[in-house]
Amino acid sequence: MSDALLVYDDDCGFCTWWAEFFEQRSDVPIVGFSDLEPSLRNALPDDYDRCAHLVTDGMGYSCGAALEEAFARLGGGRPVRPSIDFLRRFDAYIAAREWTYSGIARNRMLWGKLLSKPTGSSGRANADRTVDAGSR
């Protein structure tokens, strides 16, 4: 069982491409919005469908922070974690991260013409791929 779970819009081919990218290159399993179990859905913000989320036992990350944390976990986290931890100290970096995420998300149909995967319910959500969302 992973200590994190990436929640994404599985109705978006571009989002699915990225979610599978992270799943294949890290120990972070993925679950699409269409496969959310009630306990996980309750741990997410009310407007959860506006962006991706990375949920852990003790923390939740949304939008740009979720993908940043997913990147930090690639390759076991060793290569990029120190750089990300350093950058998170700066408000300008955080603003730029969220601005970039928002801009890409607003244009995901266009980006999906370059990078895309089939969408829809994948049956990925199951008991051994969830984290304890009750601590959030």
Side-chain angles (χ1 to χ4, degrees):
M1 177 198 280
S2 174
D3 69 338
L5 182 69
L6 181 64
V7 181
Y8 71 101
D9 182 356
D10 58 347
D11 195 33
C12 165
F14 179 69
C15 306
T16 300
W17 189 95
W18 276 106
E20 290 182 5
F21 172 91
F22 290 118
E23 182 181 49
Q24 293 167 2
R25 290 164 179 83
S26 72
D27 66 349
V28 177
I30 60 175
V31 63
F33 291 161
S34 66
D35 291 328
L36 287 176
E37 298 206 1
S39 61
L40 180 56
R41 168 59 196 95
N42 291 336
L44 298 174
D46 290 338
D47 59 350
Y48 73 91
D49 58 349
R50 73 178 181 87
C51 66
H53 307 276
L54 193 134
V55 181
T56 70
D57 285 334
M59 192 82 181
Y61 303 87
S62 295
C63 305
L67 294 190
E68 173 194 67
E69 186 62 24
F71 271 111
R73 292 166 181 261
L74 292 175
R78 284 180 245 77
V80 297
R81 173 66 69 188
S83 298
I84 289 175
D85 288 343
F86 174 75
L87 290 170
R88 284 179 174 165
R89 294 190 233 168
F90 302 99
D91 291 340
Y93 165 74
I94 293 170
R97 176 193 71 202
E98 297 306 318
W99 179 83
T100 301
Y101 180 91
S102 177
I104 291 171
R106 278 192 312 272
N107 294 294
R108 62 189 180 164
M109 296 302 280
L110 174 66
W111 289 108
K113 292 178 181 180
L114 300 172
L115 301 172
S116 188
K117 290 275 189 156
T119 62
S121 177
S122 62
R124 293 181 185 279
N126 58 43
D128 63 334
R129 289 187 154 206
T130 60
V131 296
D132 179 13
S135 62
R136 290 216 28 219

